[in-house]
Amino acid sequence: MREGVQAYRAEGDSVGFVPTMGALHGGHMSLVETALEENDRTAVSIYVNRVQFDSDQDAEVYPRSFEDDAGMLEDAGVDLLFHPNEEIMYPDGDATGVQVDLPLTRRFEGDIRPRFFDGVARVVSKLLHAVPANRVYFGEKDLQQLMMIRRMVTDLHFEQDVRTVPVARDEDGVAYSSRNRKFTGDDWETARGTYRVLANFRDEVGERTREDLEACRAELSEVGLEVQYLDVVDYTTFAPVEPDHDRAVLIVAGYAGDVRLKDHLVLHAKNLPALESKLSEDGEVLPDGG
Ligand code: AMP
């Protein structure tokens, strides 16, 4: 993989890289399309990273569809596909960990899933060494993860520019996710209802305070979501803020049936371009109080 990318770059071609865990959907494909547009060559990786899951069992049941994925990527015009096995990614017991130690990584996803951020930091750093592209593409869908990765790339001097792609949603507002493949009919209703509840909160953000989160949580329960967290946070730190804060985003995670669902909406449309340009600049992600 590394030699392939280096050969393209030696010819003067720019290379974009999209890391994924496969079971590809419209969200992944919007990352791939952006990479294809912005670069001469595009590389994609598919690897289900065990160490970021809560248990081996969880990783085991994660959806996989390699043949279909490979076909979609070929049709889209992707140049390189990296599909490493465990021995390649974690040789010799793999003693080296990567930890991004910030308040950001201890909150919400970090609190609920203790292995998650360390596991992601570890695999993404390995992938960035294996794929020396000019640019690497991540979805705003996993906003907390994205903010961590930006910080890691800055701290460890990775050469790739981090590019951010907005959340891709279906016509009902449900964010594409590999886990949606496991939805039953009722779970789909819950997912659509969840989006409606979040969108209502956002549409009336001028009249909302943190106290309204309780009612919002009750509405989510009514549509069937078993809520793990619901909050309004500053997207750079994930510290709780009032909804009128400049960088406020409404974040939610929970279960629709047996399927975990995670989403967020930016609360101030005028700040959406700011969020995206902030993410596409080279600047640092500021920790608490920064
Ligand atoms: P995953 O395969 O779930 O690890 O996701 C791989 C990349 O695709 C990550 O950067 C995700 O943030 C991104 N992604 C997943 N779902 C979406 C979506 N609905 N819209 C935009 N990006 C997404």
Side-chain angles (χ1 to χ4, degrees):
M1 185 68 193
R2 188 182 288 143
E3 282 167 11
V5 173
Q6 282 168 344
Y8 285 142
R9 293 190 60 178
E11 288 164 14
D13 284 353
S14 61
V15 182
F17 171 42
V18 183
T20 81
M21 297 204 297
L24 299 183
H25 50 65
H28 296 117
M29 294 317 284
S30 87
L31 266 62
V32 168
E33 277 151 27
T34 308
L36 285 164
E37 275 164 29
E38 293 185 353
N39 301 277
D40 301 313
R41 303 286 184 175
T42 295
V44 175
S45 66
I46 295 180
Y47 177 67
V48 178
N49 177 41
R50 249 163 220 287
V51 305
Q52 76 188 59
F53 283 84
D54 302 335
S55 67
D56 286 350
Q57 159 71 7
D58 239 28
E60 214 64 63
V61 301
Y62 192 83
R64 287 168 173 80
S65 56
F66 181 73
E67 299 301 322
D68 289 351
D69 293 353
M72 279 165 80
L73 295 172
E74 190 173 353
D75 291 348
V78 165
D79 300 276
L80 290 170
L81 172 57
F82 187 40
H83 182 48
N85 60 22
E86 298 278 311
E87 287 72 40
I88 290 173
M89 290 306 285
Y90 292 99
D92 291 335
D94 190 56
T96 306
V98 180
Q99 188 180 43
V100 183
D101 185 16
L102 288 174
L104 170 79
T105 53
R106 292 191 282 274
R107 298 180 166 132
F108 301 102
E109 292 300 305
D111 181 35
I112 290 182
R113 308 180 63 190
R115 302 194 335 160
F116 180 67
F117 284 124
D118 289 356
V120 171
R122 194 164 172 182
V123 78
V124 171
S125 58
K126 284 164 170 282
L127 288 168
L128 293 180
H129 283 303
V131 189
N134 302 78
R135 304 186 181 92
V136 60
Y137 293 79
F138 293 98
E140 193 192 297
K141 164 79 167 49
D142 300 284
L143 186 58
Q144 201 178 352
Q145 163 184 306
L146 169 71
M147 300 315 278
M148 176 194 75
I149 289 169
R150 284 182 54 81
R151 178 61 186 249
M152 180 186 84
V153 164
T154 302
D155 285 354
L156 297 183
H157 305 293
F158 283 105
E159 67 169 323
Q160 294 90 341
D161 279 335
V162 175
R163 304 287 293 140
T164 303
V165 178
V167 185
R169 301 177 180 279
D170 69 15
E171 63 280 6
D172 297 313
V174 177
Y176 295 113
S177 165
S178 303
R179 294 177 191 270
N180 297 3
R181 293 181 183 214
K182 307 245 163 160
F183 279 164
T184 63
D186 284 351
D187 301 340
W188 276 112
E189 276 308 308
T190 296
R192 291 185 196 110
T194 297
Y195 178 74
R196 284 196 304 273
V197 171
L198 298 183
N200 276 339
F201 189 102
R202 178 199 55 198
D203 293 346
E204 292 167 14
V205 68
E207 295 137 46
R208 303 290 191 184
T209 67
R210 296 187 56 78
E211 284 175 14
D212 295 308
L213 285 171
E214 210 171 308
C216 188
R217 186 180 267 264
E219 287 170 38
L220 290 171
S221 299
E222 264 165 46
V223 299
L225 189 74
E226 196 187 308
V227 180
Q228 287 182 302
Y229 60 74
L230 170 74
D231 216 325
V232 176
V233 301
D234 176 332
Y235 68 80
T236 61
T237 59
F238 275 62
V241 290
E242 282 293 339
D244 66 355
H245 187 281
D246 269 3
R247 294 190 296 258
V249 292
L250 178 64
I251 58 169
V252 70
Y255 279 88
D258 292 333
V259 185
R260 185 148 193 268
L261 185 157
K262 181 179 65 182
D263 203 354
H264 72 275
L265 289 182
V266 176
L267 288 179
H268 303 284
K270 68 174 166 38
N271 289 322
L272 197 54
L275 170 64
E276 280 161 16
S277 65
K278 164 111 184 151
L279 298 181
S280 60
E281 279 166 16
D282 265 357
E284 270 185 60
V285 180
L286 299 171
D288 253 7

